[in-house]
């Protein structure tokens, strides 16, 4: 699931300890300028990983997947158990203290083998959010979109690694260099990448980013008038700010469930679920084999803490920022898209009228739900006295809290 990563530490003792490891091979020295001062950066390598020592920090980057395959390729499946074991191998070899290394960047995704020819699928890609998906100038059949902080890559993996990849493999990958986004996934230090629960968040993130993809499906003839790029560009440039989103929602609702977009989404769901399920089936006392290298789980490993839950609804806070105590916009949006029944339960619990009659100050449903959560936090006694827990409405759902 994880491919490239970038971690950094500013701890001088940790830096010196790693830099004295004889496994590191010298690569080069480089000078760089900081304002009016010229400083030196040393570069060393270890099995295709890059170690850069600056005057005040040490950065380690590269593909953990390549590292798993002894630097040969990253074409095969790299599941959760493989990822955790490989990070543990790296940590053990360099005597790394995981909590001292902050994660600065991450690439994660999965491979699928679609029924349709991969290059044909790539030619049908149009937008990621409101950003046009374009082909890389450097690689053929390699498409990218997004910003320097977060982007997606969709490409022909078979063509990328012809010697090792299976036939007709499509790779969908998310890349981020934004600490704030990583924190929403529960990732702060490399220690977090040793937790199975984090990989569930990565799986959810993959599917969420896929939902931002707009891909034409010419087999759906009745939607042919919408399979024109200019139709969508016009919505971005000349219409109101919500026109593109509204058109996209209507387009998805019109697509049959056996359309190209939903078939690819189904494959992504099956693949990510398979990775997660395999990870949780792995017992703690069982060794994981990485190219005939046996890596045992540390007896001193810290137990994974159970996810925190909202104090009002009891729903897990896995989609909220670290330190959150209540569900907010991120959770509501996720439930509305991926768990409709639970979202309807929340609407029935929090809103006295679920048919669209909201106050004039809260015209949007999500904003209104947020407001109701705040009410229950800030005025718990007052609200309880007027009976929000006792009052029943017609056709009201009951909220099942695990």
């Amino acid at each position: 699931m994880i491919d490239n990563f970038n971690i950094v530490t500013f701890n001088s003792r940790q830096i010196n300890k790693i830099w004295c490891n004889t496994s590191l091979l010298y690569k080069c020295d480089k000078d760089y300028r900081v304002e009016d001062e010229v400083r030196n950066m040393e570069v060393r390598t270890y099995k295709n990983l890059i170690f850069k020592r600056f005057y005040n920090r040490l950065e380690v980057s590269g593909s953990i997947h390549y590292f798993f395959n002894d630097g040969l390729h990253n074409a095969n499946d790299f599941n959760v158990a493989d990822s955790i074991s490989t990070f543990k191998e790296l940590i053990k070899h360099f005597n790394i203290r995981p909590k001292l290394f902050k994660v600065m960047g991450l690439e994660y995704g999965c491979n699928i083998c679609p029924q349709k020819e991969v290059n044909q699928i790539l030619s049908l890609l149009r937008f990621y959010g409101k950003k046009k998906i374009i082909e890389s100038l450097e690689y053929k059949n390699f498409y990218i979109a997004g910003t320097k902080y977060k982007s997606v890559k969709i490409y022909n993996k078979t063509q990328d690694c012809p010697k090792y990849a299976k036939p007709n493999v499509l790779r969908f990958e998310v890349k981020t260099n934004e600490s704030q986004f990583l924190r929403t996934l529960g990732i702060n230090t490399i220690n977090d990448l040793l937790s199975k629960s984090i990989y569930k968040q990565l799986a959810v993130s993959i599917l969420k980013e896929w939902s931002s993809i707009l891909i034409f499906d010419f087999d759906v003839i009745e939607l042919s008038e919408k399979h024109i790029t200019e139709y969508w560009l016009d919505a971005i440039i000349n219409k109101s700010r919500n026109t593109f989103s509204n058109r996209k929602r209507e387009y998805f609702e019109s697509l049959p469930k056996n359309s190209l977009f939903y078939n690819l989404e189904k494959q992504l769901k099956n693949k990510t679920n398979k990775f997660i399920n395999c990870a949780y089936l792995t017992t703690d006392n069982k060794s994981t084999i990485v190219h005939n290298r046996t890596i045992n789980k540390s007896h001193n490993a810290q137990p994974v803490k159970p996810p925190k839950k909202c104090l009002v609804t009891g729903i897990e806070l896995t989609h909220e920022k670290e330190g959150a105590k209540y569900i907010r916009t991120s959770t509501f949006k996720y439930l509305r898209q991926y768990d409709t029944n639970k979202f309807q339960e929340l609407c029935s619990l929090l809103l006295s009228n679920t048919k669209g009659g909201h106050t004039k100050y809260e015209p949007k449903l999500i904003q209104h739900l947020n407001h109701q959560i705040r009410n229950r936090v800030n005025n718990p006694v007052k609200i309880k006295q007027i009976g929000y827990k006792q009052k029943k409405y017609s056709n009201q759902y009951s909220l099942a809290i695990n």
Side-chain angles (χ1 to χ4, degrees), residues 307-336 339 341-351 365-378 399-401:
K308 294 177 63 178
K309 295 185 177 182
C310 173
L311 298 179
V312 174
T313 64
I315 291 177
E316 292 184 359
L317 297 170
T318 49
H319 303 287
E320 302 298 340
K321 294 181 180 179
E322 185 177 357
K325 296 181 179 179
Y326 316 101
I327 57 172
R328 299 295 300 275
T329 300
S330 298
T331 301
F332 285 128
K333 286 185 176 180
Y334 171 80
L335 292 175
R336 182 167 62 179
D339 194 342
N341 291 335
K342 183 67 71 175
F343 183 74
Q344 289 177 343
E345 289 178 10
L346 282 173
C347 287
S348 183
L349 175 71
L350 298 171
L351 306 178
L365 180 60
I366 297 295
Q367 290 180 357
H368 195 44
L369 289 168
N370 277 330
H371 185 73
Q372 295 306 309
I373 289 289
R374 292 196 300 271
N375 281 349
R376 282 149 176 76
V377 173
N378 298 327
L399 182 65
I401 301 176

Side-chain angles (χ1 to χ4, degrees), residues 227-242:
H227 294 151
I228 302 172
T229 304
E230 287 70 21
Y231 170 80
W232 299 95
L233 290 174
D234 175 68
I236 297 173
I237 299 172
N238 300 319
K239 306 297 182 182
S240 67
R241 60 182 297 180
N242 295 324

Side-chain angles (χ1 to χ4, degrees), residues 212-229:
S212 297
I213 297 293
L214 177 61
I215 183 170
F216 288 172
D217 191 342
F218 294 123
D219 292 335
V220 185
I221 300 175
E222 55 269 28
L223 295 177
S224 58
E225 73 279 1
K226 295 182 180 179
H227 294 151
I228 302 172
T229 304

Side-chain angles (χ1 to χ4, degrees), residues 5 8 15 66 85 89 95-96 99 112 115 117 138 158 165 190 196 220 269 293 324 338 343 363:
F5 71 100
V8 62
I15 293 171
Y66 261 96
S85 296
E89 180 186 12
N95 198 17
I96 288 173
K99 291 186 178 181
I112 58 174
Q115 295 179 346
E117 203 273 326
E138 192 173 357
T158 302
I190 194 175
K196 294 175 184 176
V220 185
K269 285 182 179 179
R293 300 189 300 269
Y338 295 106
F343 183 74

Side-chain angles (χ1 to χ4, degrees), residues 189-202:
T189 69
I190 194 175
N191 188 64
D192 297 316
L193 299 180
L194 307 179
S195 169
K196 294 175 184 176
S197 61
I198 290 300
Y199 291 83
K200 292 181 67 174
Q201 298 310 309
L202 294 180

